[in-house]
């Protein structure tokens, strides 16, 4: 195994990725797929995931947050479309033309600057308007639409918005979807207004994973799932609604496992403290495994004394605080543990498992945060 010399590594299952993409393709039907690889592909590794996606021709777009991510994906060999969901600094706008990268526009200065660059280069660019429908994050209000249309009309190379998009505020956090319906109504009204101004966008897109799974009428021409491709449900509410709609629980399989090794084994007497702050005290003679992983790597300090890892399919509870680069687990009850043994931090081991969702629950977070904060320094290995 290539990981024999590694102290901590992340395994990415190619087979699970294919399974999830098949599910996304079935769910999206005739709508095209734009999958999110922002935040280092939700912690899975931008280059590893975009590399695997090249051969999945059902994926038309990668969506990213920043220009730097878009550039990395392009230079890494991604041959199809790339959309930047977040802001682009003024000094990077010209590079969008060079790399054939599509920005999402929510700000007039950016569009004007793109217009003048397009004129100078005599080059077209595909842009997407972000419409404000009720999330009040990035987006153009209905009153501002005409100003944006004027800019499109002023620059021949901009032509019109290639895409028009919005993002829902409240699909994954609730089983009541009135607010999503309200946003959808706003979106449709703004699209109509654009059409009446001779600015009918070629592609309309609104659906993240939860909307893709639960709401067919949000699909339009293109869907933008992220977390589902990595095999995780956006929330408990999303899976509950899906099951209530008669859906199955087998759509998505997690791609990612996170592993480490035992780098020290020690016996500690009863009534001894473990770790910073003396937050744990042994009640009996205890065998501790020291693990070379800590909050720097993305194992939250909030999990101190609140989590378990798996050694040979058996649970070893964390004892004491998670340190910056180390943590301690109690292996007293596990037979035959040896120095160098593999330890599972996220994923399956034998007949047991520990999930990103469990870690999120124990640390007052969500699976998105657990995954996206896995340190980018940890090697990703495709299995
Ligand atoms: C991250 C993101 C998505 C994907 O969301 P998931 O919940 O991971 O499917 C879609 N659209 C926008 C604008 C995003 O920022």
């Amino acid at each position: 195994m290539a990981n024999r010399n590694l102290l901590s590594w992340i395994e990415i299952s190619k087979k699970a990725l294919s399974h999830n993409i098949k599910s996304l393709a079935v769910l999206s039907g005739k709508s095209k797929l734009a999958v999110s690889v922002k935040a280092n592909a939700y912690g899975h590794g931008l280059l590893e995931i975009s590399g695997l996606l090249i051969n999945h021709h059902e994926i038309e777009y990668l969506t990213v947050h920043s220009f730097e991510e878009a550039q990395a994906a392009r230079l890494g060999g991604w041959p199809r479309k790339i959309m930047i969901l977040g802001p682009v600094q003024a000094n990077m706008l010209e590079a969008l033309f060079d790399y054939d990268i599509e920005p999402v526009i929510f700000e007039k200065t950016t569009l004007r600057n793109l217009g003048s660059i397009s004129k100078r280069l005599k080059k077209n660019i595909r842009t997407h308007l972000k419409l404000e429908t009720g999330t009040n994050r990035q987006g153009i209000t209905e009153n501002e639409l005409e100003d944006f249309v004027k800019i499109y009309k002023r620059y021949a190379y901009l032509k019109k918005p290639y895409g028009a998009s919005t993002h829902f505020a409240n699909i994954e956090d609730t089983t009541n979807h009135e607010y999503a319906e309200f946003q959808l109504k706003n979106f449709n009204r703004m699209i109509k207004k654009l059409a009446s101004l001779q600015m009918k966008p070629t592609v309309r897109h609104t659906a993240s994973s939860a909307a893709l799974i639960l709401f067919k009428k949000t699909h339009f021409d293109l869907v933008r799932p992220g977390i589902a491709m990595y095999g995780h449900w956006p929330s408990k509410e999303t899976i509950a609604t899906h099951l209530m709609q008669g859906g199955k629980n087998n759509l998505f399989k997690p791609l990612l496992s996170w592993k480490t090794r035992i780098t020290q084994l020690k016996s500690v007497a009863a009534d001894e403290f473990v770790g910073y702050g003396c937050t744990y005290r042994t009640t009996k003679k205890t065998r501790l495994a020291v693990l070379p992983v800590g909050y720097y790597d993305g194992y939250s300090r909030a999990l101190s004394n609140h989590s378990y890892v798996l050694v040979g399919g058996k649970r070893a509870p964390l004892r004491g605080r998670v340190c910056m680069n180390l943590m301690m687990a109690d292996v007293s009850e596990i037979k035959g543990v040896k120095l160098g043994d593999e330890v599972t931090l996220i994923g399956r081991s034998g007949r047991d498992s520990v999930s990103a969702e469990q870690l999120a629950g124990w640390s007052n977070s969500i699976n998105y945060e657990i995954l996206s904060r896995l340190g980018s320094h940890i090697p990703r290995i495709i299995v």
Side-chain angles (χ1 to χ4, degrees):
M1 287 281 275
N3 57 19
R4 196 182 305 134
N5 296 314
L6 297 173
L7 291 178
S8 168
W9 67 99
I10 284 169
E11 294 177 1
I12 301 294
S13 161
K14 213 165 138 175
K15 213 170 123 193
L17 180 66
S18 299
H19 169 88
N20 299 339
I21 290 173
K22 258 187 219 136
S23 292
L24 292 180
V26 170
L27 285 167
S28 58
K30 288 207 177 75
S31 312
K32 299 249 164 77
L33 277 168
V35 296
S36 180
V37 293
K38 65 190 180 197
N40 198 24
Y42 291 49
H44 293 63
L46 171 61
L47 292 178
E48 289 79 0
I49 294 296
S50 58
L52 288 173
L53 293 177
I54 291 173
N55 293 324
H56 286 276
H57 292 271
E58 49 289 58
I59 311 268
E60 173 158 344
Y61 271 93
L62 298 184
T63 67
V64 294
H65 174 70
S66 67
F67 173 77
E68 287 70 21
E69 293 168 342
Q71 183 185 39
R74 189 55 95 212
L75 295 176
W78 174 255
R80 294 186 291 276
K81 291 174 171 165
I82 303 178
M83 187 193 308
I84 300 180
L85 303 172
V88 180
Q89 318 85 290
N91 60 336
M92 293 298 161
L93 291 176
E94 186 161 342
L96 298 178
F97 293 81
D98 303 336
Y99 289 113
D100 188 16
I101 292 168
E102 305 175 21
V104 173
I105 305 292
F106 39 83
E107 213 272 318
K108 278 173 223 167
T109 315
T110 309
L111 190 59
R112 265 190 228 110
N113 285 342
L114 282 172
S116 59
I117 297 168
S118 71
K119 196 170 155 186
R120 175 161 51 80
L121 301 177
K122 297 189 167 45
K123 261 182 157 176
N124 296 114
I125 185 164
R126 289 185 299 272
T127 56
H128 301 252
L129 277 184
K130 182 69 169 278
L131 306 180
E132 180 53 70
T133 60
T135 300
N136 286 313
R137 193 167 71 174
Q138 300 176 132
I140 299 161
T141 62
E142 198 161 349
N143 293 333
E144 295 174 297
L145 271 185
E146 290 204 55
D147 293 346
F148 281 85
V149 165
K150 274 186 201 144
I151 303 172
Y152 277 106
K153 288 189 172 158
R154 194 178 315 147
Y155 295 100
Y157 284 97
L158 287 183
K159 279 207 271 199
K160 60 166 194 171
Y162 177 72
S165 69
T166 196
H167 192 54
F168 295 105
N170 205 20
I171 289 195
E172 49 267 359
D173 293 316
T174 174
T175 54
N176 172 356
H177 295 117
E178 270 170 45
Y179 199 71
E181 298 280 0
F182 164 76
Q183 287 193 269
L184 199 55
K185 229 167 55 196
N186 294 340
F187 182 72
N188 283 324
R189 197 178 55 247
M190 288 172 82
I191 294 285
K192 245 193 212 151
K193 181 155 180 187
L194 279 173
S196 75
L197 298 164
Q198 278 74 54
M199 288 277 146
K200 187 171 186 273
T202 307
V203 293
R204 295 158 300 169
H205 47 97
T206 72
S208 61
S209 298
L212 168 63
I213 297 163
L214 301 177
F215 283 101
K216 219 173 165 62
K217 58 183 166 183
T218 65
H219 291 188
F220 295 102
D221 309 297
L222 184 73
V223 293
R224 304 189 308 261
I227 195 124
M229 181 177 78
Y230 303 99
H232 296 265
W233 288 81
S235 65
K236 284 182 187 152
E237 289 83 353
T238 308
I239 189 164
T241 310
H242 172 72
L243 295 175
M244 284 190 296
Q245 291 176 351
K248 293 222 169 80
N249 192 2
N250 60 1
L251 291 181
F252 309 115
K253 293 182 186 158
L255 311 189
L256 178 146
S257 312
W258 184 15
K259 300 189 174 160
T260 186
R261 295 186 184 288
I262 297 175
T263 47
Q264 193 179 3
L265 273 168
K266 60 174 59 165
S267 282
V268 176
D271 290 326
E272 292 276 330
F273 294 111
V274 181
Y276 288 127
C278 299
T279 61
Y280 185 81
R281 190 170 207 171
T282 57
T283 53
K284 56 181 171 52
K285 190 172 169 230
T286 299
R287 195 155 166 76
L288 284 181
V290 181
L291 309 176
V293 166
Y295 54 81
Y296 167 64
D297 303 288
Y299 203 97
S300 174
R301 187 168 174 277
L303 293 166
S304 299
N305 288 309
H306 263 305
S307 179
Y308 64 82
V309 300
L310 294 166
V311 185
K314 298 274 192 303
R315 295 183 184 195
L318 289 197
R319 300 299 192 210
R321 290 217 182 120
V322 174
C323 317
M324 191 179 278
N325 303 109
L326 297 167
M327 56 194 203
M328 286 70 84
D330 186 339
V331 293
S332 309
E333 307 297 325
I334 308 175
K335 284 199 187 81
V337 175
K338 298 184 308 300
L339 196 68
D341 276 359
E342 196 174 296
V343 175
T344 299
L345 306 169
I346 297 178
R348 177 156 284 286
S349 167
R351 292 183 9 205
D352 208 345
S353 64
V354 56
S355 66
E357 287 70 19
Q358 281 172 292
L359 299 188
W362 297 328
S363 58
N364 192 22
S365 184
I366 53 174
N367 48 7
Y368 292 80
E369 187 178 5
I370 298 293
L371 294 168
S372 66
R373 293 183 81 158
L374 294 174
S376 57
H377 59 282
I378 306 168
R380 272 69 174 171
I381 297 170
I382 295 161
V383 295

